[in-house]
Amino acid sequence: MDAKDIQAAEAKNIIAEDTEITGSIRCNAGIRIEGKVNGDLTCAAAAFIGRAAQVKGNIAAGAVVVHGQVTGNITAKERIDLKATARVFGDVKTRRMTVEDGVTLVGKADVNPGGARAEGEPAPAAAAEPAAEHGSDDSRRGPSFFGRK
Amino acid sequence: MPRSRKVSIVNGLATVRAIRRAGGQEESEVRPAPAAAAPPGGVIGSRIGRTVLPEQREHVCYSCGYAFKTAGLVRQIVCPKCRLALDTSDYTLEGAAWAEDMRTLGTVRIPPEATVAGGAIVATEVVVEGGLAGGEVTASKAVTVRAGARVDFARLKTGRLVIAEGASFVLEGELCFRSLDVRGALEANVRASERVSVGPAGSLRGMVRAPRLVVEDGAEVQAELWIGAEPTAAAAAPPAAEGGQPETK
């Protein structure tokens, strides 16, 4: 699904700006959220998070376009588009992702467009170089520090 | 008594008309064409179609650090502040072990067969295709590291680092630059004070801390991201065990 299709297509489910929903949402058709959702969102098609929208919960959809705020993990089967006004606090996992300048994103990203490299597969061959100017003991990989599942 | 002669005001256009009339041109040919439509890039009524401005370039004096601009093609540049004549040539290093100082406002290229073993290289842009094992490389604009380069990143001093397409690096420790442009593959902890961007063929792994991030369609990103927000002390603390703990699902 292309990003243009996500924005151009009319979402069959719409949560207006003055609406607040507490609880999980599950739908097959596309959904457009302009209000507040306190709960998980599961959508088989595309999910569009508007600029004024606030989602506190995990999002799982075919494709996700975010203009607003999401506090939770985002998992998309196809792609995630984070627009300039997006604020995401959580992990993102998808095949393809675009991030525009100005996005606030705190979490772990797992974007693998090729899909060829599974976890644990060695990284591309390269000479290991000594530490740069600020030697750090930070580990490169570790558990998700948000602990959300 | 002679009549006083009144001084007439010289009208340039009238003079041209008179000359042309004397040459046999019709009055209509002498009159300027009415400005029916603005010429492309010009102002209505102006005879000038388009003004081409020379290209402006920004420079940083490698002696005093003064930043200034020049316009057009300039063979020799003199720093307006310290009055030092600055070299503007581009250079390609030769030799298996380069250990001399070099200062230029142009571009320095380190070819695959060359290695910088010492000395200080100061340039506007540096392209590294060979080895950088000693000395120091300072670029006021950007350092581009291409595939096959053998680079000690601690010896690079630049605001912008570009990992070219096809290049692949795995680093321990942290890379700190003003901006980082990943077009190849990079596995490292990255801290940028301005921006991190990942190109369509790019791959970025590790931990990324920057105020801004741009990821283009097709890029691979497997990293912990702190974009637009500062990490808290608890979240940024490294795990106790070396090598990190396996992720539980």
Side-chain angles (χ1 to χ4, degrees):
Chain A
M1 182 178 293
D2 199 5
K4 293 179 184 176
D5 298 332
I6 298 172
Q7 296 185 19
E10 274 195 27
K12 290 188 177 179
N13 304 292
I14 299 175
I15 297 174
E17 194 169 333
D18 55 354
T19 303
E20 182 171 349
I21 292 180
T22 300
S24 300
I25 299 175
R26 185 183 293 268
C27 57
N28 286 333
I31 184 168
R32 182 185 184 99
I33 299 176
E34 301 285 357
K36 294 183 181 178
V37 173
N38 299 314
D40 294 343
L41 168 64
T42 304
C43 176
F48 184 91
I49 313 298
R51 181 175 290 199
Q54 293 183 22
V55 177
K56 291 184 181 178
N58 299 326
I59 298 175
V64 182
V65 177
V66 182
H67 287 259
Q69 180 168 323
V70 176
T71 306
N73 298 337
I74 303 177
T75 303
K77 198 174 177 183
E78 290 297 324
R79 63 182 301 123
I80 296 173
D81 295 322
L82 303 183
K83 301 302 182 182
T85 54
R87 293 166 58 85
V88 177
F89 302 93
D91 301 345
V92 293
K93 183 173 181 180
T94 182
R95 284 190 57 224
R96 304 175 79 91
M97 181 171 77
T98 61
V99 178
E100 288 189 359
D101 198 350
V103 165
T104 297
L105 173 56
V106 181
K108 197 171 180 183
D110 184 1
V111 181
N112 192 351
R117 290 201 203 115
E119 271 196 9
E121 191 173 328
E129 296 294 343
E133 49 188 302
H134 296 296
S136 168
D137 291 331
D138 290 343
S139 67
R140 280 171 282 130
R141 291 199 184 87
S144 168
F145 46 78
F146 280 96
R148 292 195 188 86
K149 292 295 171 187
Chain B
M1 285 181 64
R3 285 194 330 194
S4 61
R5 293 183 65 183
K6 196 174 182 182
V7 176
S8 58
I9 298 173
V10 176
N11 183 344
L13 180 59
T15 305
V16 170
R17 282 179 176 174
I19 293 172
R20 288 185 176 177
R21 210 178 297 119
Q25 279 185 321
E26 294 293 333
E27 183 66 25
S28 60
E29 293 178 9
V30 176
R31 275 187 196 154
V43 180
I44 293 177
S46 167
R47 288 179 180 269
I48 300 175
R50 183 169 54 183
T51 302
V52 179
L53 296 176
E55 182 186 353
Q56 280 204 342
R57 295 186 183 89
E58 293 186 3
H59 305 284
V60 177
C61 174
Y62 46 69
S63 178
C64 66
Y66 181 69
F68 60 98
K69 292 182 184 179
T70 58
L73 184 62
V74 182
R75 295 292 177 190
Q76 187 180 32
I77 296 177
V78 175
C79 174
K81 187 174 181 182
C82 66
R83 312 305 299 173
L84 178 69
L86 303 173
D87 186 1
T88 60
S89 304
D90 297 337
Y91 292 98
T92 298
L93 303 188
E94 293 177 359
W98 177 276
E100 299 177 15
D101 293 345
M102 171 181 290
R103 301 197 301 180
T104 177
L105 291 186
T107 299
V108 172
R109 178 177 162 261
I110 304 173
E113 62 273 11
T115 299
V116 176
I121 297 175
V122 180
T124 299
E125 290 194 42
V126 177
V127 178
V128 184
E129 297 172 334
L132 177 59
E136 194 173 82
V137 170
T138 304
S140 61
K141 197 172 180 183
V143 172
T144 300
V145 182
R146 291 191 178 156
R150 307 165 301 279
V151 181
D152 181 1
F153 285 87
R155 302 190 178 277
L156 294 177
K157 284 189 178 178
T158 180
R160 180 172 173 239
L161 175 65
V162 179
I163 306 294
E165 194 169 330
S168 179
F169 295 96
V170 177
L171 307 174
E172 296 177 1
E174 195 171 57
L175 282 182
C176 296
F177 292 96
R178 193 174 67 236
S179 71
L180 175 65
D181 192 355
V182 180
R183 298 174 192 169
L186 177 65
E187 184 171 345
N189 294 335
V190 172
R191 184 196 293 269
S193 58
E194 264 190 19
R195 186 174 109 148
V196 173
S197 65
V198 187
S203 170
L204 179 60
R205 299 185 177 204
M207 180 183 287
V208 180
R209 304 178 193 182
R212 289 149 57 191
L213 171 69
V214 176
V215 176
E216 296 188 38
D217 195 2
E220 178 182 343
V221 178
Q222 296 187 3
E224 294 177 4
L225 304 173
W226 295 91
I227 308 300
E230 284 299 316
T232 59
E242 274 191 21
Q245 297 176 359
E247 198 172 50
T248 55
K249 291 191 176 181

